[in-house]
Amino acid sequence: MRPAGGSHAAQEASERVSGPDQIRSSDMRMTPSLPPALRISGVEKRYGNLLALDGISFDVAPGEFFGLLGPNGAGKTTLISALAGLVIPDAGTIEILGHDVQADYRAARRALGVVPQELVFDPFFTVREVLVMQSGYYGIRDNGPWIDEILHNLDLESKANANTRALSGGMKRRVMVAQALVHRPPVIVLDEPTAGVDVELRHALWQFIRRLNRDGHTIVLTTHYLEEAESLCTRIAMLKQGRLVALERTADLLSRHAAHTLRLKLSGGSLPASLAARAQASSSGEYCLSLTNLDEVETVLHALHAAGLKVADMELGKPELEEVFVELMRAP
Ligand code: ATP
């Protein structure tokens, strides 16, 4: 499956983008700067008095696995709809691989595959018919071999001739992913693809999406499962009430905003005052301390030793994206 190239490195990936936006490595010599997979510049969208998108700007590089996070109503789906040309922004511009979504709609749309949040199907067709028709929308004929490959990779072969109305929710979700891929888009946007999906399918879906990313596709993901975003996305944007409140590499976001937590249980006695002030005690006698860096573990152990206290149990927890998310969403 190699519609868009073959490596994590953004540069390499963009060298291999195929299909209508094909850029060959030989062209690179003449193309000093490749367009970003997405360029979102000053995008605003108003619904009546509500400013759903309040001047959003960021780029996504070719080959990135990018997370777009935010609480309900933050504006994620509005932004994705604007990428797909389904919502017209009141201000700002959006380009997909250098194609303006408004002025150059066809080329922009061809470069993009969107897996929408809602499951919408025409109930009178089989899975294969849906995919053949979808290929037709893009003017692609004889797409059978590619459709077979998608069906195989999404474990949908046995359902190829089943009517879409007879499919379970999880199977329908796979068909939505398949539909978004029929035209081999170099940029794939997934709007909460694992909402309401069982664990097995979630893992299968992520394995497949990871592979598409390894093959060079740019992936933009929205999800409310923060551990999913943490393990998959190399960079994350967070939206809050239509505004961009964070845009960082996942690792930097974690190290700058989240703390390590140290859980301690003592053999006897209680924490010395210097530590008690910054610890939370649970009813089971366990203490939880937030550490800004790992060197503090040594300081804590030293203070315990100096107070003649012994540790019965200890666990060091890694910073989690959920903590960062809660902190950023709480901030005024
Ligand atoms: P969720 O996580 O719940 O999917 P979201 O981040 O995708 O939320 P949006 O669906 O983009 O958020 O909605 C952003 C804001 O715009 C919300 O307050 C929503 O009520 C509002 N909104 C979205 N679409 C419309 C519409 N067609 N008409 C009026 N308001 C809308």
Side-chain angles (χ1 to χ4, degrees):
M1 206 146 188
R2 192 163 281 275
S7 140
H8 266 312
Q11 184 93 344
E12 274 182 36
S14 52
E15 281 176 37
R16 299 187 202 169
V17 170
S18 69
D21 299 285
Q22 195 163 41
I23 301 163
R24 292 179 192 85
S25 46
S26 57
D27 298 333
M28 293 282 290
R29 286 184 289 274
M30 295 175 287
T31 319
S33 60
L34 289 163
L38 294 182
R39 169 151 286 172
I40 298 165
S41 313
V43 169
E44 287 181 22
K45 179 66 192 174
R46 204 174 267 287
Y47 293 113
N49 290 330
L50 178 87
L51 197 49
L53 295 175
D54 186 3
I56 302 291
S57 300
F58 63 86
D59 284 1
V60 176
E64 266 200 280
F65 203 131
F66 189 88
L68 182 62
L69 308 182
N72 292 133
K76 306 178 296 292
T77 300
T78 304
L79 186 58
I80 289 172
S81 303
L83 296 178
L86 301 173
V87 156
I88 315 275
D90 297 311
T93 56
I94 297 175
E95 286 175 18
I96 299 168
L97 283 169
H99 304 292
D100 186 279
V101 166
Q102 300 299 321
D104 196 4
Y105 175 76
R106 277 176 160 264
R109 196 65 192 83
R110 271 182 172 269
L112 183 71
V114 177
V115 182
Q117 208 178 106
E118 283 177 35
L119 298 169
V120 195
F121 281 106
D122 192 325
F124 300 107
F125 298 99
T126 67
V127 171
R128 186 180 290 282
E129 284 166 345
V130 165
L131 299 179
V132 169
M133 279 193 305
Q134 183 80 13
S135 308
Y137 296 146
Y138 290 97
I140 306 168
R141 282 202 237 155
D142 306 326
N143 208 17
W146 176 241
I147 289 175
D148 285 341
E149 198 173 334
I150 299 174
L151 290 172
H152 173 72
N153 278 290
L154 287 166
D155 209 4
L156 270 171
E157 282 158 315
S158 63
K159 303 287 178 192
N161 298 316
N163 202 293
T164 51
R165 69 169 169 256
L167 299 180
S168 70
M171 284 294 172
K172 282 189 179 128
R173 181 69 66 193
R174 292 182 205 207
V175 179
M176 303 284 291
V177 177
Q179 263 187 293
L181 297 177
V182 285
H183 60 295
R184 305 179 187 234
V187 183
I188 302 167
V189 178
L190 302 116
D191 193 357
E192 290 188 47
T194 49
V197 154
D198 71 31
V199 178
E200 205 180 335
L201 173 55
R202 194 178 299 173
H203 286 172
L205 201 54
W206 289 134
Q207 215 174 354
F208 183 49
I209 302 294
R210 270 200 171 111
R211 182 169 152 208
L212 289 170
N213 181 241
R214 273 200 304 274
D215 286 352
H217 289 270
T218 306
I219 310 284
V220 176
L221 164 74
T222 82
T223 178
H224 287 288
Y225 298 104
L226 297 180
E227 71 284 359
E228 201 166 81
E230 188 177 328
S231 73
L232 291 165
C233 303
T234 43
R235 209 155 61 98
I236 284 177
M238 287 195 192
L239 292 185
K240 178 185 172 185
Q241 294 173 349
R243 285 169 175 266
L244 193 64
V245 294
L247 177 66
E248 280 183 78
R249 284 172 48 79
T250 312
D252 295 340
L253 207 52
L254 288 167
S255 66
R256 286 208 312 116
H257 296 274
H260 288 265
T261 48
L262 182 66
R263 294 184 187 283
L264 279 177
K265 194 155 189 171
L266 300 176
S267 304
S270 51
L271 281 188
S274 61
L275 296 180
R278 45 186 282 217
Q280 283 183 327
S282 74
S283 53
S284 62
E286 200 180 73
Y287 296 100
C288 181
L289 288 106
S290 290
L291 310 180
T292 42
N293 66 63
L294 287 177
D295 294 347
E296 285 185 61
V297 176
E298 214 173 310
T299 316
V300 170
L301 293 179
H302 190 74
L304 293 175
H305 183 71
L309 295 163
K310 280 204 165 24
V311 174
D313 199 7
M314 189 169 99
E315 190 187 310
L316 188 63
K318 280 202 317 187
E320 287 182 359
L321 193 59
E322 190 156 332
E323 254 182 83
V324 183
F325 185 83
V326 170
E327 184 194 307
L328 287 170
M329 294 307 143
R330 266 200 206 132

